[in-house]
Amino acid sequence: MYDNREQIRFIDLFCGIGGFRIAFEESCQEVNIKAECVFSSDIDKFAQDSYEANFGERPYGDITQIDEKDIPDHDILFAGFPCQPFSIIGQMKGLNDTRGTLFFDIARIIKEKKPKAFVLENVKQLVGHDQGNTLKVIMKSLKELGYHVQYSVLNALDYGLPQKRERIVIVGHKEPIMFTFPEPIRPYKPLTEILEQSVDEKHYASEYIRSKREGSHKSSFYPSIWHENKSGNICSYPFSCALRAGASYNYLLVNGERRLTPREMFRLQGFPDSYKIVVSDGQAKKQAGNAVPVNMIKAVVQKLLPYVANSLDQATVLREYDLKYNPS
Ligand SMILES: C[S@@+](CC[C@H](N)C(=O)[O-])C[C@H]1O[C@@H](n2cnc3c(N)ncnc32)[C@H](O)[C@@H]1O
């Protein structure tokens, strides 16, 4: 096992409430490596409040206003960048052409700081956006910076969380290492470990909504989370559909009768119960809906760690990882 002398420095861009940070710090802790966050940034005041309450530092604001030269050196860069700006990237030809998008801000930091590796995350729709052109430009731009880059669409459900949440994860590394994305880990946590026992009345849907749900759907599972799709159809599963920052009020209902509590939403994203929720219920829903699933990123990061931490051999990490997640 590693002896705590090595320290890995990382930066947390578009940090939100720190999903990447928890994943990385926990992964490092499990193999006795020190992880030091040397820079974080998020433009949203409430996300900054949550981050500060939990990590003791207030993230810097708008990344477009930060000179890459002012960012401290680091070994690994994390960024779950917002999905809205990629709508225009597909028409662009390469890195320099992506100026004005938030992806460009990630790229200019990578270009200046040359971390050993990076992990980027975005919605699955990035893969097919503009017939694949958007992702092509992103991958090409990252390769132009001298990185080996690969991507995969991962589902939080495959990494121990009862939430169907598919996300593209892009991993880049400077050296030609044998990185592969993690295999799925089943089974996922049962909902009984997510749901709270005693829930405030305010989370219950109106009598009208509840009887409407009851009349239109019978679930085969208990407990279950009922999901209303865009056309108003209801289905239910022993897991949650993807949490969404801007979802309508009754988009997900536990047993067809109540909304998820903030703590339950944070649990569905793999945040530990020690995570302090310091914002309103509305902000908590937005923050959970925007966050990256901690367990999914942990699985990725654990495969990258041996490379980022010089003195850690891959076999050790993978053995630790298997013992914990795939005990036979
Ligand atoms: C998809 S969320 C990332 C959430 C994060 N991975 C987590 O686990 O909480 C994208 C974040 O980018 C932030 N953001 C958007 N524009 C930004 C900008 N110009 N500078 C810094 N952060 C920005 C948003 O406030 C939001 O929190």
Side-chain angles (χ1 to χ4, degrees), residues 46 71 81-82 191 204 306-307 312 323:
F46 298 105
I71 293 181
F81 58 119
L191 279 180
Y204 280 78
Y307 165 63
L312 198 60
L323 281 175

Side-chain angles (χ1 to χ4, degrees), residues 14-20 41-44 61-63 80 82 102 290-292:
F14 308 99
C15 62
I17 56 172
F20 271 110
S41 148
D42 198 288
I43 202 167
D44 184 85
D62 189 352
I63 195 67
L102 290 173
N290 268 336
V292 69

Side-chain angles (χ1 to χ4, degrees), residues 12-21 41-45 47-48 51 60-66 78-85 102 105 121-123 165 167 269 271 275 286-294 297:
D12 200 4
L13 301 179
F14 308 99
C15 62
I17 56 172
F20 271 110
R21 180 164 180 160
S41 148
D42 198 288
I43 202 167
D44 184 85
K45 176 204 172 303
Q48 291 176 344
Y51 200 93
Y60 286 86
D62 189 352
I63 195 67
T64 64
Q65 302 305 307
I66 292 171
F78 296 110
F81 58 119
C83 45
Q84 106 284 326
L102 290 173
D105 292 286
E121 178 253 0
N122 212 305
V123 295
R165 186 179 187 87
R167 289 293 185 268
Q269 290 285 43
F271 282 65
Y275 194 93
K286 179 178 167 194
Q287 295 183 348
N290 268 336
V292 69
V294 170
I297 294 301

